[in-house]
Amino acid sequence: MYAVLDIESTGGKYNEEGIMEIAIHKYDGHQVVDKFMSLVNPEREIQPFVTKLTGINNKMLRTAPKFHEVAKRIVEITDGAILVAHNAQFDYRILRTEFRRLGYDFQRKTLCTVDLSKKLLPEAESHSLGKLVRSLGIPMSDRHRANGDAIATLKLFKMLLDKDSSKSIVKEVIRKETEGELSPTQLDIVSDLPSETGVYYMHDKEGEIIFLGKTKNAKKRVNQHFTNVGQLARKLQKETKKVSFERTGSELVAILKEYQELRNNNPRHNSITKKKLFSHVINFHQNGTPHIEIEIVKNKFRKKQNLGFSGVVSAKNFLVKISEEFSICPSSLGLDVDCKHSQNGCAQMCNDIENAPVYNQKASSAFQKYSLLDKNIAILDKGREVGERSFILIKEGILKGFGYVELNHQINNIHILESIITPMTSDENTTFIVESYLRKNSRLKVLELTPTA
């Protein structure tokens, strides 16, 4: 559990500042479950430069509650949570100072998004909140007001969690949470999980990931692990002390995250194959012949002009599909399917040299539609919440990563997309994953992008 906060202070001498505005968003890793925001009467004068920066003046705060009137609410909303702030050392010091004046020792564990962004976004020109979120295309309003800055920090923190492919943030949080404590029961673990699409991570008492997987229903899938019988199930039931979960909204993002993070984390109870995910390919080639030849072959090497398939049956089903979609004669594709042409001499008719230009155009169109080769596209899908969309960025046919956007101008700007993606390693398997998913899910929107110079 996280408490993402921002504090606006009066300014002044060290440890003599007062809180004049505070905003806290309690975030459970999936959604905001509670929030608190308020002006605070600091019982001291605001420095003029602070008024100019924030727009908050002494008159606005005369009727605001004093800190001792909101202190109980702050304790309650941050209880059991790790404080997250941009420059957390400052906010935490100011908060502890106010509580110390009341004779209360306020202590919480903290995470600083400045430190996290320096680690996960080292190429950023600036790590100040305003400049950083602007460069990442994160929408921001009410800059230098507590709630506006807290919301921006929350959105930045979500992005940093996405970019943390090694899961160092979550591992460290779990270590802190479980120090000297007994693990929750498996029933409690399952009850805390949402019935949503994403990737789940099963952790041991040290916070290390011992198993991970993609799912369309996290609650159901983890419950199966805890109720199944078998060697793997028994190990997971015995060793799992906590389960964390990352919503993706998109099933395709979940599949790609599972593939990438299995290799990044190498959980001890996952079986990680080093083989190719596809066993056959359909070649589209023209080796000195008038016609483009389309054939199914058992895969050894993935060439440029081909598409991967998990077996002969799925490859043949694809050929049937494109024969109907592009009006290509089944006989010329090697399919044992009745052709609409005359039964006598069908193969000769379809493969006649005079028909080669038309046939080649159809074959090329089929390949171009279902291949990622040399494409610059964004594949848009469901987001994690209302108003958000996920995207997968393909540049020059290579998977670059995934991310989330809220505004249309972000989607059309390849520079912004490249800056906010969680990078992914591209290989033959990721190409197969994306191409095969697109073949089965025509509902996804594919947006063509103009590459930057």
Side-chain angles (χ1 to χ4, degrees), residues 335-389:
L335 296 171
D336 187 17
V337 180
D338 290 338
C339 180
K340 296 178 181 179
H341 295 147
S342 168
Q343 292 184 359
N344 296 325
C346 174
Q348 182 179 354
M349 180 187 302
C350 292
N351 292 317
D352 191 87
I353 294 178
E354 294 179 2
N355 295 325
V358 175
Y359 169 84
N360 288 348
Q361 179 60 45
K362 292 178 179 179
S364 295
S365 297
F367 175 74
Q368 289 167 9
K369 178 175 180 179
Y370 292 103
S371 170
L372 296 181
L373 183 64
D374 297 331
K375 286 184 177 177
N376 295 289
I377 57 173
I379 303 169
L380 306 181
D381 200 358
K382 296 177 183 177
R384 299 162 296 188
E385 54 197 38
V386 177
E388 180 184 73
R389 281 182 283 180

Side-chain angles (χ1 to χ4, degrees), residues 183-362:
S183 65
T185 67
Q186 293 171 352
L187 187 63
D188 290 336
I189 289 175
V190 172
S191 67
D192 289 341
L193 292 170
S195 301
E196 297 185 40
T197 300
V199 179
Y200 62 94
Y201 309 85
M202 307 181 85
H203 304 261
D204 63 14
K205 64 181 180 181
E206 301 297 328
E208 293 301 316
I209 298 170
I210 60 175
F211 188 88
L212 69 83
K214 68 181 187 302
T215 181
K216 295 176 76 172
N217 186 326
K219 186 186 293 288
K220 180 179 178 181
R221 185 71 189 98
V222 173
N223 186 61
Q224 289 172 342
H225 285 304
F226 288 152
T227 56
N228 283 348
V229 295
Q231 188 175 3
L232 173 61
R234 285 195 298 271
K235 288 179 180 178
L236 295 179
Q237 291 159 17
K238 181 180 179 181
E239 298 176 30
T240 301
K241 302 304 177 186
K242 183 155 185 174
V243 177
S244 61
F245 176 70
E246 289 191 11
R247 288 188 299 168
T248 61
S250 162
E251 183 185 17
L252 179 54
V253 172
I255 295 170
L256 288 167
K257 274 178 69 67
E258 179 196 46
Y259 174 77
Q260 300 270 334
E261 293 183 356
L262 280 173
R263 283 148 183 78
N264 289 342
N265 294 282
N266 194 25
R268 61 176 174 264
H269 293 316
N270 279 101
S271 178
I272 305 173
T273 178
K274 295 182 180 180
K275 298 179 181 178
K276 294 176 181 176
L277 299 179
F278 52 94
S279 59
H280 291 74
V281 297
I282 294 180
N283 281 326
F284 291 72
H285 58 84
Q286 193 170 0
N287 296 328
T289 60
H291 287 76
I292 293 176
E293 295 182 11
I294 303 176
E295 59 178 352
I296 301 172
V297 297
K298 191 169 179 61
N299 180 54
K300 291 185 178 179
F301 301 101
R302 182 100 196 241
K303 299 177 182 178
K304 271 195 171 186
Q305 299 278 8
N306 61 27
L307 300 170
F309 294 85
S310 56
V312 175
V313 174
S314 60
K316 284 187 175 180
N317 288 339
F318 175 74
L319 291 181
V320 172
K321 177 180 179 179
I322 65 169
S323 73
E324 296 172 352
E325 183 178 354
F326 294 91
S327 299
I328 300 174
C329 175
S331 174
S332 64
L333 298 177
L335 296 171
D336 187 17
V337 180
D338 290 338
C339 180
K340 296 178 181 179
H341 295 147
S342 168
Q343 292 184 359
N344 296 325
C346 174
Q348 182 179 354
M349 180 187 302
C350 292
N351 292 317
D352 191 87
I353 294 178
E354 294 179 2
N355 295 325
V358 175
Y359 169 84
N360 288 348
Q361 179 60 45
K362 292 178 179 179

Side-chain angles (χ1 to χ4, degrees), residues 86 112-122 127 132 160:
H86 205 71
C112 179
T113 50
V114 174
D115 294 339
L116 293 175
S117 62
K118 286 180 178 179
K119 177 181 177 182
L120 297 169
L121 301 168
H127 292 93
L132 185 59
L160 293 171

Side-chain angles (χ1 to χ4, degrees), residues 67 71 74-75 78-79 83 92-93 95-109:
F67 185 78
I74 295 171
V75 171
T78 61
D79 184 40
L83 299 185
Y92 187 48
R93 177 179 65 79
L95 200 54
R96 290 201 71 193
T97 298
E98 288 281 17
F99 275 108
R100 202 159 31 240
R101 289 170 184 153
L102 300 179
Y104 181 79
D105 185 20
F106 179 83
Q107 292 190 39
R108 297 290 187 268
K109 298 179 177 69

Side-chain angles (χ1 to χ4, degrees), residues 407-436:
L407 305 174
N408 286 330
H409 78 83
Q410 294 175 288
I411 298 173
N412 295 308
N413 189 324
I414 195 169
H415 177 70
I416 288 181
L417 294 185
E418 286 183 301
S419 68
I420 65 178
I421 59 170
T422 298
M424 286 186 160
T425 303
S426 181
D427 59 25
E428 292 180 318
N429 284 335
T430 58
T431 299
F432 166 72
I433 289 170
V434 176
E435 288 179 345
S436 60

Side-chain angles (χ1 to χ4, degrees), residues 388-406:
E388 180 184 73
R389 281 182 283 180
S390 65
F391 72 90
I392 291 169
L393 180 63
I394 307 292
K395 187 175 181 181
E396 296 177 358
I398 297 172
L399 171 68
K400 291 296 183 179
F402 74 94
Y404 297 92
V405 292
E406 297 179 39

